[in-house]
Amino acid sequence: MRHLASDELLLDYASGALGEAGSLIVATQCALAPEARERVAELEALGGVLLDEIEPEAVSDTAFEALMARLDEGACAPIVTKAPARPAAPSRVPMPLKGYVGEDFDALDWRSVGGGVATHEIELVDDGMRAFLIRVPAGTMIPKHTHKGQEFVLVLEGGLSDEHGHFGRGDMEISDGTIDHQPIADAGADCICLAVTDAPVRLSGPVGRVLNLFVRI
Ligand code: ZN
């Protein structure tokens, strides 16, 4: 089963209401998961129907045209690039992320946060959200934690599991203060994820409660 961004998030994305961090993670999921692109298209179609039904008089021709032009541009549309004469080895970095982190995860400046887990901050316009890559070694468990705000985690490589299921490449897990979880990376390959949060996570296990005082993942 695919774990997609919520309809609310996809709609906000399609309408341009998301900030930079939110747009980045949704665009990256669209690049990795055709199901996300299809859902955006469905929601856009539904949005058009709702506009027609709710305020047929209030929507001017030009406003409608502007909306359709915007949807046509669709940031979720597949990105077509000219094939180079001599194709290079395919990059592991999904297209929307390349402008932020380059072509090679291994070449990044990773900051160790303990237990073999490392993070790489992504520079964004400061809109109250934080985006970073997190790399978890194969088979490694992240400390049990809950969240003060919302946490969006998109798997870019490898996979991870927690109480809510298994998340593979292109899957997104959305967590908030009601979710307490302890993700573990799949055996066999390191798991690299793009994470977007609007508040630091809070470690919730017995050791974690103490660690909270000292660390911030
Ligand atoms: Zn979490």
Side-chain angles (χ1 to χ4, degrees):
M1 191 193 90
R2 267 300 196 191
H3 299 276
L4 299 180
S6 62
D7 282 355
E8 188 187 4
L9 199 63
L10 293 174
L11 267 175
D12 282 351
Y13 173 72
S15 65
L18 284 184
E20 190 178 9
S23 297
L24 176 62
I25 197 166
V26 176
T28 305
Q29 184 172 46
C30 285
L32 292 178
E35 296 90 339
R37 293 196 290 276
E38 284 160 19
R39 188 65 187 143
V40 168
E42 283 170 14
L43 291 169
E44 285 171 347
L46 183 64
V49 170
L50 288 177
L51 277 179
D52 283 349
E53 285 179 357
I54 295 170
E55 290 183 17
E57 305 303 327
V59 181
S60 72
D61 285 351
T62 41
F64 183 72
E65 276 163 23
L67 174 69
M68 293 322 282
R70 189 179 160 80
L71 298 184
D72 282 346
E73 285 165 17
C76 249
I79 296 155
V80 182
T81 50
K82 229 166 114 183
R86 224 179 260 246
S91 170
R92 295 146 58 199
V93 181
M95 184 65 84
L97 262 180
K98 285 185 181 179
Y100 291 89
V101 304
E103 299 271 343
D104 185 2
F105 288 132
D106 295 332
L108 291 173
D109 185 18
W110 291 93
R111 183 177 69 98
S112 170
V113 293
V117 179
T119 60
H120 172 81
E121 290 295 321
I122 294 176
E123 298 283 330
L124 296 173
V125 176
D126 184 9
D127 60 358
M129 305 287 277
R130 173 184 173 225
F132 57 100
L133 299 179
I134 179 163
R135 190 184 62 203
V136 185
T140 297
M141 192 172 271
I142 294 177
K144 192 171 172 66
H145 64 273
T146 184
H147 317 84
K148 272 185 189 158
Q150 284 202 300
E151 175 194 79
F152 306 92
V153 172
L154 176 68
V155 177
L156 306 176
E157 287 194 9
L160 55 85
S161 300
D162 65 10
E163 298 85 329
H164 310 286
H166 178 263
F167 299 82
R169 179 174 158 87
D171 284 329
M172 187 187 295
E173 180 166 27
I174 302 177
S175 309
D176 61 19
T178 66
I179 302 240
D180 206 82
H181 66 161
Q182 187 164 28
I184 179 168
D186 289 359
D190 291 356
C191 181
I192 297 178
C193 299
L194 170 62
V196 168
T197 60
D198 57 7
V201 299
R202 284 190 353 210
L203 302 176
S204 54
V207 179
R209 283 193 203 102
V210 179
L211 283 177
N212 261 331
L213 302 173
F214 303 102
V215 304
R216 178 173 170 241
I217 286 183

